């Protein structure tokens, strides 16, 4: 199955600005990327805090919504984890096809996407992305998505963890940060370090690198129940897991709704400052 998501669209690519500062670019990358992504994303001071197609994981694309198993189809990229076989190259890759961008402004947009595989639309997504300056050294990226099953058959979302790979419950919102000389620090209100925060739910989670900090905030009660997927030692990445331990049903006519607000800050924030930003994000 061949897809051409990079075909020219009159309303893509897009940029996000905070005042006069461009803080993110959005669209499909060069080549055969099968989902749109935000990259590069920068702090107000100009530090790039995303990475695209790194050598360690070519299917990591900045900030995106990526799911490794929708009814057996791979919307993440790379190999598929098969129970009893491990990571396996399969002809099961799906594409997030751009359909429309009904609203657009310098600081945000909405987008309609069709999640298609084998010539069939499995899910229809409504995505909303906005950028808001909140301080002289910080801004918020607000990303929400609604995945709706318009078909007449029930579907479910899975992950390598639900298919037999312990600890690999990734899938959903995912942010690939740049790899630096030293791994970034990661902490939440309750713990610090990859082993203490990975696979656990928390209202917010912070990733702090060389001159930058990202504070990820679950902006709805349902989103806050999803565990965080965290990597720092192998590579720097944070995701909010839709199916960390068991498959997530999406019945015919049903929807999955999630919202993540990410504070993008210059400097290395401490826990108290990160918590303050997180409180303000959900109170806005």
């Amino acid at each position: 199955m061949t897809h051409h998501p990079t075909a020219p669209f009159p309303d893509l690519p897009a940029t996000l600005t905070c005042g006069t500062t461009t803080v993110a670019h959005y669209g499909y990358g060069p080549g055969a990327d099968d989902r749109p992504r935000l990259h590069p994303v920068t702090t107000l001071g100009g530090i790039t805090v995303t990475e695209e197609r790194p050598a360690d994981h070519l299917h990591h694309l900045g900030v995106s919504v990526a799911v490794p198993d929708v009814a057996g189809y791979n919307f993440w990229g790379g190999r598929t984890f098969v129970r009893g076989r491990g990571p396996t190259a399969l002809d099961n890759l799906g594409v997030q096809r751009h359909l429309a961008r009904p609203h657009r402004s310098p600081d945000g947009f909405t987008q309609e996407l069709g999640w298609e595989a084998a010539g069939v639309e499995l899910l229809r997504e409504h995505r909303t992305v906005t950028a808001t300056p909140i301080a002289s050294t910080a801004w918020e990226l607000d990303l929400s998505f609604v995945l709706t099953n318009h078909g007449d058959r029930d579907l479910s979302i899975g992950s390598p963890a639900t298919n037999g790979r312990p600890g690999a419950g990734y899938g959903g919102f995912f942010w690939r940060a740049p790899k630096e000389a030293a791994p970034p620090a990661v902490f939440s209100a309750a713990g610090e370090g990859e082993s203490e925060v990975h696979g656990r739910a928390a209202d917010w989670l912070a990733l702090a690198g060389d001159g930058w900090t990202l504070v990820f905030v679950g902006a709805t009660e349902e989103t806050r129940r999803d565990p965080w997927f965290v990597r720092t030692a192998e590579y720097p990445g944070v995701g909010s897991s839709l199916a960390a331990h068991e498959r997530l049903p999406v019945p015919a006519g049903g929807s999955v709704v999630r919202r993540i607000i990410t504070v993008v800050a210059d400097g290395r924030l401490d826990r108290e400052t990160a918590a303050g930003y997180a409180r303000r994000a959900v109170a806005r």
Side-chain angles (χ1 to χ4, degrees), residues 92-157:
N92 69 338
L93 296 179
V95 60
Q96 295 174 10
R97 189 174 300 282
H98 171 72
L99 301 177
R101 195 152 62 100
H103 165 76
R104 45 182 164 163
S105 64
D107 62 352
F109 59 88
T110 61
Q111 185 184 22
E112 302 293 331
L113 297 132
W115 288 45
E116 301 175 8
V120 175
E121 181 181 283
L122 301 176
L123 298 168
R124 176 69 62 90
E125 180 187 353
H126 178 79
R127 184 176 300 183
T128 303
V129 180
T130 60
T132 305
I134 55 174
S136 61
T137 57
W139 65 279
E140 288 178 354
L141 176 68
D142 190 337
L143 190 153
S144 64
F145 60 91
V146 181
L147 295 171
T148 301
N149 177 3
H150 288 299
D152 55 7
R153 295 185 178 182
D154 295 346
L155 303 176
S156 67
I157 290 171

Side-chain angles (χ1 to χ4, degrees), residues 31-280:
D33 291 346
D34 285 327
R35 66 181 184 271
R37 79 288 184 267
L38 287 151
H39 177 79
V41 178
T42 64
T43 68
L44 291 176
I47 299 174
T48 298
V49 290
T50 53
E51 192 160 4
E52 179 185 57
R53 292 192 170 279
D56 54 65
H57 289 80
L58 293 176
H59 45 278
H60 287 182
L61 305 177
V63 183
S64 66
V65 181
V67 177
D69 182 348
V70 178
Y73 291 98
N74 182 346
F75 290 86
W76 178 275
R79 295 177 294 174
T80 297
F81 190 89
V82 178
R83 189 181 297 272
R85 294 171 60 187
T88 305
L90 300 176
D91 184 21
N92 69 338
L93 296 179
V95 60
Q96 295 174 10
R97 189 174 300 282
H98 171 72
L99 301 177
R101 195 152 62 100
H103 165 76
R104 45 182 164 163
S105 64
D107 62 352
F109 59 88
T110 61
Q111 185 184 22
E112 302 293 331
L113 297 132
W115 288 45
E116 301 175 8
V120 175
E121 181 181 283
L122 301 176
L123 298 168
R124 176 69 62 90
E125 180 187 353
H126 178 79
R127 184 176 300 183
T128 303
V129 180
T130 60
T132 305
I134 55 174
S136 61
T137 57
W139 65 279
E140 288 178 354
L141 176 68
D142 190 337
L143 190 153
S144 64
F145 60 91
V146 181
L147 295 171
T148 301
N149 177 3
H150 288 299
D152 55 7
R153 295 185 178 182
D154 295 346
L155 303 176
S156 67
I157 290 171
S159 68
T162 64
N163 293 333
R165 183 183 173 192
Y170 53 83
F173 170 92
F174 183 73
W175 189 303
R176 172 59 196 252
K179 184 176 285 189
E180 299 175 332
V186 64
F187 56 90
S188 67
E192 183 168 357
E194 181 179 325
S195 63
E196 294 299 312
V197 298
H198 170 71
R200 303 185 185 188
D203 290 354
W204 61 269
L205 181 89
L207 190 72
D210 186 8
W212 55 268
T213 303
L214 305 172
V215 184
F216 303 96
V217 185
T220 66
E221 189 172 327
E222 201 163 26
T223 307
R224 288 190 286 273
R225 287 198 292 266
D226 291 337
W228 295 102
F229 176 85
V230 180
R231 291 288 185 266
T232 56
E234 180 184 358
Y235 63 84
V238 171
S240 180
S241 301
L242 293 174
H245 306 297
E246 56 188 24
R247 298 189 70 88
L248 176 66
V250 191
S255 296
V256 173
V257 184
R258 296 294 189 271
R259 182 183 176 200
I260 301 286
I261 296 175
T262 306
V263 177
V264 181
D266 283 291
R268 200 174 178 99
L269 305 185
D270 59 23
R271 179 177 278 109
E272 182 179 356
T273 305
Y277 276 129
R279 287 193 297 269
R280 285 192 287 270

